[in-house]
Structures are given as structure tokens and as C-alpha cells.
């Protein structure tokens, strides 16, 4: 399966459509800004796995989504607030500069696109894997319903589906929501009554 990744380092995928929400076969993807309140759908997962924006890419992501008014520090604080509010096992691929704001319980070395970084965990024992893709797969092997509130182009959703698990995904970019719905959930524009 081709790995498609939402990165500020690369050009944004050409998508003409945006979507606010789609549900199918027990999975859901929707538009949500993590700087807002914890979304009620987040409470329907048994684990969190995210690969949040890094500082250098945050402005690019925010501009693509039309949400430029919040600082990167506030973004990290919001992520930590969500993890604390949910109180379930959580894993995230992070850089060392994120450690202070995110305050994970454990970290282990991992690579993302060949670059060294950390796999952080909260409310869960750490595990050792080589890459971010391995981390997403390992979470999907261990848990039944995965929450990714920084879903991008849906690599967490891909891992969940590969291992027969379900997901709750969100992103502040409606194009990402559209991509996940269309490519992983069978959404067909203008022929679906499952949007809201």
C-alpha cells in the first residue's frame, strides 16, 4: 500500500473538496480544531495516536486550514489538555522541542521520514519500534478504537483498517477530512447521505 503522508515539507495534495464530517462502518472523520473544547466523539476511543505538527510546519498547516490566529505553544498546550482530559493511553511522535509542553510519561527513540525523534506515551507503557508507521501499526494491534485528532491524510486510519480496528479521526483542515472519507471510508461526493 502506498504511504501518503500530510507533511508541511511537501506540497499540499490537490483536493478540490472539503468535508465537515463523515461516518461509515463504525468509523468517523470530522473537522475539529484542537484549540477548541475536547470534542465529544473523542471519548469513544480507547487509545490516542497522533503525529502533531512540528513548530517549523505549524504555520504551513494552519495557513492551509485557514486557522492562522493561534500560536504553536497554544497548539501544544491544547494537545496536552486533550490527553489529560481523556485519561486513556496515548502515543505521539514528537521532537525534543515538544517535550516541555507535552510532558509525556515515557519516551522511546523512533524515526519519522528517516529523522530521529521520540515516541511519547501517557497513561501507557512505552514500546520500541523503528518508525512512525511501525508505531501506528503497533497501536492498532494493541487497541480496538484509535483516536487521531491530527489525522492529516489518515495514516492512523490506514493502520486501524489494516488490523480490523475502528477509528475516530479529526483534523482542522476540511481537505484532510475529505481525503480520509473518500480514500478510506468509501465516501462518494454528492451521492452520500452520511455527511453532516
Amino acid at each position: 500500500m502506498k504511504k501518503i503522508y500530510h507533511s508541511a515539507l511537501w506540497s499540499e495534495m490537490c483536493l478540490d473538496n472539503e468535508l465537515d464530517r463523515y461516518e461509515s462502518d463504525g468509523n468517523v472523520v470530522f473537522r475539529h480544531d484542537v484549540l477548541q473544547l475536547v470534542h465529544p466523539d473523542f471519548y469513544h476511543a480507547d487509545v490516542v495516536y497522533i503525529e502533531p505538527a512540528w513548530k517549523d510546519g505549524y504555520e504551513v498547516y494552519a495557513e492551509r486550514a485557514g486557522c492562522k490566529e493561534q500560536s504553536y505553544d497554544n497548539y501544544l498546550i491544547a494537545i496536552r489538555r486533550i490527553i489529560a482530559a481523556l485519561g486513556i493511553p496515548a502515543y505521539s511522535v514528537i521532537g525534543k522541542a515538544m517535550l516541555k509542553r507535552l510532558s509525556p510519561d515515557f519516551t522511546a527513540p523512533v524515526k519519522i521520514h528517516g529523522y530521529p525523534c521520540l515516541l511519547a506515551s501517557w497513561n501507557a507503557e512505552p514500546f520500541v519500534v523503528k518508525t512512525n508507521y511501525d508505531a501506528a501499526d503497533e497501536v492498532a494491534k494493541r487497541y480496538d478504537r484509535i483516536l487521531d485528532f491530527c489525522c492529516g491524510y489518515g495514516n492512523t486510519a490506514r493502520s486501524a483498517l489494516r488490523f480490523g480496528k475502528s477509528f475516530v479521526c479529526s483534523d482542522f483542515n476540511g481537505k484532510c477530512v475529505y481525503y480520509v472519507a473518500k480514500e478510506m471510508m468509501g465516501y462518494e461526493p454528492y451521492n452520500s447521505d452520511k455527511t453532516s
Side-chain angles (χ1 to χ4, degrees):
M1 179 182 292
K2 184 177 178 184
K3 293 178 178 174
I4 297 176
Y5 198 79
H6 191 213
S7 172
L9 303 175
W10 307 328
S11 297
E12 184 175 29
M13 190 177 290
C14 290
L15 296 170
D16 293 331
N17 295 317
E18 295 186 17
L19 191 62
D20 286 329
R21 183 180 182 91
Y22 185 70
E23 296 180 44
S24 176
D25 298 325
N27 299 308
V28 61
V29 62
F30 56 95
R31 188 187 324 226
H32 179 70
D33 184 345
V34 298
L35 294 158
Q36 304 304 314
L37 296 173
V38 178
H39 195 281
D41 284 336
F42 290 1
Y43 292 99
H44 299 288
D46 60 355
V47 67
V48 173
Y49 178 79
I50 58 171
E51 296 175 6
W54 291 36
K55 187 171 187 174
D56 291 344
Y58 179 73
E59 287 183 17
V60 173
Y61 286 126
E63 185 173 331
R64 288 176 182 173
C67 302
K68 298 186 288 188
E69 61 278 350
Q70 295 288 346
S71 73
Y72 186 69
D73 275 349
N74 287 343
Y75 172 73
L76 293 180
I77 290 166
I79 288 171
R80 181 67 181 107
R81 178 179 45 83
I82 291 168
I83 290 169
L86 295 176
I88 59 177
Y91 299 89
S92 180
V93 175
I94 66 171
K96 288 181 181 178
M98 301 173 175
L99 279 170
K100 183 177 179 182
R101 286 279 187 228
L102 294 178
S103 305
D105 297 332
F106 302 101
T107 61
V110 71
K111 289 189 176 181
I112 188 166
H113 309 303
Y115 296 101
C117 55
L118 299 168
L119 178 62
S121 64
W122 299 260
N123 309 312
E125 293 295 319
F127 52 79
V128 177
V129 292
K130 291 183 180 180
T131 72
N132 61 308
Y133 295 109
D134 298 335
D137 282 352
E138 189 63 31
V139 168
K141 289 176 191 175
R142 294 177 181 218
Y143 297 92
D144 293 323
R145 188 161 176 80
I146 306 165
L147 166 62
D148 182 351
F149 50 80
C150 305
C151 76
Y153 294 149
N155 284 323
T156 300
R158 271 192 194 83
S159 290
L161 294 173
R162 187 169 32 257
F163 291 96
K165 307 298 177 70
S166 64
F167 60 82
V168 175
C169 285
S170 69
D171 198 281
F172 63 0
N173 188 333
K175 290 181 180 180
C176 293
V177 173
Y178 172 80
Y179 182 84
V180 171
K182 185 174 183 294
E183 297 298 322
M184 281 156 258
M185 300 171 70
Y187 172 70
E188 294 181 23
Y190 311 112
N191 290 334
S192 179
D193 59 1
K194 296 181 182 180
T195 59
S196 61

